[in-house]
Amino acid sequence: MAESHKDKVIIVGCGPGLKSYISPKALYNIKKARILVGSRRLLKLFPGVDAEKVVLEKNYGVLVQKIAEWSRSKQVVVLVSGDPCFFSYTRMIVRKMGRERCTIIPGISSMQLAFAAAGESWDDACFISLHGRNDKYEQLVKKVREYNKVGILTDHKNTPAVIARHLIKQGIQKRQMFICKNLSLPEESIHETDLASATNMNTSGSAVVIIKNTNHEIR
Ligand SMILES: C[S@@+](CC[C@H](N)C(=O)[O-])C[C@H]1O[C@@H](n2cnc3c(N)ncnc32)[C@H](O)[C@@H]1O
């Protein structure tokens, strides 16, 4: 099962948080790292990996350039939360290095886990990220009007309460809301509510929100 990654970066999806959600294939590839890049939280998951550890902070641009250079001579492995192809800086690495120099190992996305926790299929859903994006509310309203289910990545500013208030202000009323916090972690919570009740909800930590139109007929 030896795989050649000469000149290639390996981008590994580390799932939503709990280590047992990381696939054996991902773990196998992480062990090959000579340079391991990731957030502090992700790097802490692999204390036994004998590699130089590089912490990813807000230095994406510079780091992507360095990853491209380092990977010419050393095996670089980049750790990404959830799935690499779902709202992550993987696209910056692929754009910089080219698809042929990137090996991507999928991971379980926080979005997948949220839909599983809510007991909802996600094949008919639409997605948006408000993580670090305050300018996406117009798009959000459009998607919520158009789709039966919308999965939303949130952050400390664009919280479930802020989202609920915005949708109500835009005249959207009857929607079910699932607030899925800290998925897979000991402090996990799944809250099923409606927009009006969510407006005053205090949330902290990572959260995925699912907005569902309960009036929608099953076709
Ligand atoms: C930069 S995005 C990364 C998404 C990631 N690529 C994925 O597939 O889950 C970060 C956002 O993912 C969501 N997230 C990540 N881990 C989570 C968790 N354990 N529980 C709830 N939401 C999570 C939060 O909305 C967080 O702000």
Side-chain angles (χ1 to χ4, degrees), residues 16 113 180-190 204-208:
L113 210 55
C180 309
K181 279 197 308 176
N182 301 314
L183 288 158
S184 84
L185 301 171
E187 57 277 25
E188 175 180 281
S189 77
I190 315 294
S204 57
S206 286
V208 172

Side-chain angles (χ1 to χ4, degrees), residues 86-88 109-111 127-133 151-155 158 163 207-209:
F86 191 73
F87 295 109
S88 86
S109 172
S110 57
M111 191 59 76
F127 306 102
I128 189 165
S129 175
L130 302 181
H131 179 95
R133 302 158 191 233
I152 309 165
L153 297 180
T154 70
D155 69 10
N158 303 300
I163 292 166
V208 172
V209 163

Side-chain angles (χ1 to χ4, degrees), residues 8-20:
K8 278 189 169 190
V9 61
I10 307 177
I11 306 168
V12 177
C14 294
L18 186 69
K19 202 169 172 182
S20 56

Side-chain angles (χ1 to χ4, degrees), residues 12-17 22 36-47 52-60 63 67 77-82 88-89 93 131 206:
V12 177
C14 294
I22 304 177
L36 193 60
V37 181
S39 66
R40 260 176 233 288
R41 180 183 70 78
L42 290 179
L43 288 172
K44 267 196 205 147
L45 291 175
F46 308 102
E52 185 188 332
K53 312 260 169 80
V54 178
V55 180
L56 175 87
E57 283 163 315
K58 293 265 177 242
N59 50 347
Y60 300 120
L63 205 51
I67 289 167
V77 175
V78 179
L79 306 173
V80 176
S81 84
S88 86
Y89 63 110
I93 301 175
H131 179 95
S206 286

Side-chain angles (χ1 to χ4, degrees), residues 21-156:
Y21 274 118
I22 304 177
S23 73
K25 173 99 175 165
L27 292 171
Y28 170 81
N29 278 278
I30 289 166
K31 282 191 198 131
K32 292 198 286 197
R34 296 275 55 89
I35 299 180
L36 193 60
V37 181
S39 66
R40 260 176 233 288
R41 180 183 70 78
L42 290 179
L43 288 172
K44 267 196 205 147
L45 291 175
F46 308 102
V49 174
D50 182 21
E52 185 188 332
K53 312 260 169 80
V54 178
V55 180
L56 175 87
E57 283 163 315
K58 293 265 177 242
N59 50 347
Y60 300 120
V62 178
L63 205 51
V64 167
Q65 173 67 37
K66 286 190 173 158
I67 289 167
E69 286 164 19
W70 293 331
S71 59
R72 294 271 176 212
S73 56
K74 287 183 179 164
Q75 182 60 73
V76 181
V77 175
V78 179
L79 306 173
V80 176
S81 84
D83 183 69
C85 296
F86 191 73
F87 295 109
S88 86
Y89 63 110
T90 298
R91 75 183 72 209
M92 286 174 74
I93 301 175
V94 174
R95 201 178 299 141
K96 173 79 195 163
M97 296 184 59
R99 205 170 18 160
E100 59 297 337
R101 286 188 66 206
C102 299
T103 297
I104 302 177
I105 313 290
I108 295 177
S109 172
S110 57
M111 191 59 76
Q112 274 176 281
L113 210 55
F115 272 83
E120 294 284 344
S121 57
W122 65 320
D123 46 22
D124 53 351
C126 173
F127 306 102
I128 189 165
S129 175
L130 302 181
H131 179 95
R133 302 158 191 233
N134 305 325
D135 58 344
K136 296 282 170 192
Y137 279 88
E138 207 175 308
Q139 254 188 54
L140 171 71
V141 170
K142 197 164 172 280
K143 287 185 180 202
V144 170
R145 289 211 166 102
E146 209 169 309
Y147 287 84
N148 190 13
K149 295 172 198 165
V150 180
I152 309 165
L153 297 180
T154 70
D155 69 10
H156 64 286

